[in-house]
Amino acid sequence: MYAEPGIIRKIIEETGDTWALVGLSSNTRRAAYGVAEVLRRHGKRVVPVHPKAETVHGEQGYASLAEIPFEVDVVDVFVNSDLAGPVADEAVAIGAKAVWFQLGVVDEDAYERTRAAGLDMVMDRCPAIELDSMRLRAARGARLAEEPLS
């Protein structure tokens, strides 16, 4: 498992609401597009980072993290594992607070470098799945609290 206990919840609930999605384009068939929709529904500002610098979901895109003219809280990475390490290094360089590598994106050296730089990091997980899981656990807990004790 590539997340320390409590880090997923911390990143989603406490780290901040500006998420740069590296690899997000206007291609509606790509996973990044759907994850961006879920993050937006949960109140996150989703900033597309893609060589084409396309506007996605009404948000101006940028060709690189360094071009974003405002603070980014979380960098969510939708690129191949071979390219992910340099993106994590860029996230450190721009002062992001956390890095999230999507399902199937694994670079253990980048994980160690990013953690050593003081950033929170999750690897090989999806925030959309985690948000749904957190919502279901919260709903189940609320139902259990409402049930009378026998």
Side-chain angles (χ1 to χ4, degrees):
M1 195 64 64
Y2 298 110
E4 295 174 14
I7 291 296
I8 290 171
R9 181 174 295 280
K10 178 183 176 193
I11 291 172
I12 289 173
E13 293 181 349
E14 301 171 19
T15 298
D17 290 332
T18 302
W19 287 53
L21 269 66
V22 178
L24 175 59
S25 72
S26 60
N27 185 341
T28 59
R29 294 184 310 249
R30 304 289 297 189
Y33 193 90
V35 170
E37 286 182 343
V38 171
L39 289 169
R40 285 173 33 92
R41 280 197 311 267
H42 283 85
K44 308 300 181 189
R45 179 182 186 186
V46 176
V47 181
V49 179
H50 189 279
K52 293 180 182 177
E54 298 174 300
T55 297
V56 182
H57 296 299
E59 188 73 43
Q60 168 64 49
Y62 298 91
S64 71
L65 290 172
E67 292 180 19
I68 300 173
F70 46 84
E71 192 172 303
V72 170
D73 300 309
V74 181
V75 174
D76 190 357
V77 182
F78 282 90
V79 298
N80 292 329
S81 296
D82 295 344
L83 304 172
V87 174
D89 296 337
E90 279 187 73
V92 171
I94 68 163
K97 298 172 188 153
V99 175
W100 192 301
F101 282 7
Q102 281 294 324
L103 288 172
V105 181
V106 176
D107 182 331
E108 293 181 6
D109 291 336
Y111 182 88
E112 294 302 324
R113 286 194 313 273
T114 304
R115 295 292 297 131
L119 281 69
D120 290 325
M121 179 142 184
V122 174
M123 189 164 58
D124 195 26
R125 303 289 283 269
C126 177
I129 293 169
E130 299 300 332
L131 279 161
D132 283 344
S133 178
M134 289 167 56
R135 191 186 79 240
L136 289 172
R137 283 193 302 269
R140 188 172 46 242
R143 279 196 314 270
L144 291 175
E146 292 171 1
E147 290 178 7
L149 297 174
S150 307

